């Protein structure tokens, strides 16, 4: 993974647009991942799914808590990618009170598949989802990689969470400051 460019795909997002009016002032906006990474140092973490236990009680809230430390260490942005649609990601972020980490919907799994992290969770009724990983991306290039052990499609209920906690990622960022 190190040294490779992140895939340039289109993510289908929803953005607030007050000109629409009404109770649901949102419109569709295509976002190219190339635009999200170009010229920036970004931390990305990916997880199996919104509203799932470890993702909701541990991983996403932890990155939100460490967001300011990542920024102080020279990170321009922190993104959470999940194979969920824009509506689910929005409601999940609202439910968790996420205001700093940017939640990116990879509804079709294109980004996750091209990262080599798309797995099947059919035994849980989830379909295709992301394996848990995190990375540091400098101007579109992966410079640090963190992956939970045991990636599989075999119907295992194991969901390890250790390598991809914010602490080891932040430690790497601090020891590899760009300044």
């Amino acid at each position: 993974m190190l040294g490779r460019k992140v895939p340039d795909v289109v993510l289908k997002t929803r953005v607030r647009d007050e000109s629409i009016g009404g109770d649901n002032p949102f419109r569709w906006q295509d976002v190219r991942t190339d635009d999200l990474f170009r010229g920036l140092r970004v931390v990305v973490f990916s997880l199996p799914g919104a509203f799932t236990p470890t993702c909701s009680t541990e991983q996403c809230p932890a990155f939100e808590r460490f967001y300011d430390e990542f920024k102080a260490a020279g990170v321009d942005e922190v993104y959470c990618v999940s194979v969920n649609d824009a509506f689910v990601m929005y409601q999940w972020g609202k439910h968790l009170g996420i205001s700093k980490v940017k939640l990116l919907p990879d509804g079709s799994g294109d980004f996750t598949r091209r990262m080599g992290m798309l797995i099947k969770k059919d035994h849980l009724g989830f379909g295709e989802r992301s394996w848990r990983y995190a990375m540091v991306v400098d101007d579109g290039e992966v410079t640090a990689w963190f992956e939970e052990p045991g990636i599989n499609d075999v119907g295992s209920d194991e969901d390890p969470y250790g390598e991809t906690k914010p602490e080891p990622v932040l430690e790497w960022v601090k020891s590899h400051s760009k300044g």
Side-chain angles (χ1 to χ4, degrees), residues 39-53:
L40 302 174
R41 174 170 260 197
V42 177
V43 167
V44 178
F45 64 100
S46 190
L47 40 78
F51 293 104
T52 57

Side-chain angles (χ1 to χ4, degrees), residues 98-152:
I98 301 298
S99 63
K100 298 174 182 177
V101 168
K102 307 301 181 284
L103 304 178
L104 301 178
D106 185 20
S108 297
D110 291 338
F111 183 85
T112 303
R113 181 176 25 78
R114 292 189 50 202
M115 287 301 301
M117 293 287 109
L118 194 64
I119 61 167
K120 294 183 183 296
K121 289 280 192 178
D122 291 337
H123 70 290
L124 296 175
F126 287 0
E128 293 183 319
R129 294 298 176 107
S130 180
W131 187 251
R132 204 179 298 278
Y133 71 93
M135 61 183 168
V136 179
V137 179
D138 287 304
D139 192 24
E141 181 181 312
V142 178
T143 54
W145 183 259
F146 306 83
E147 180 182 325
E148 296 302 336
I151 187 169
N152 68 78

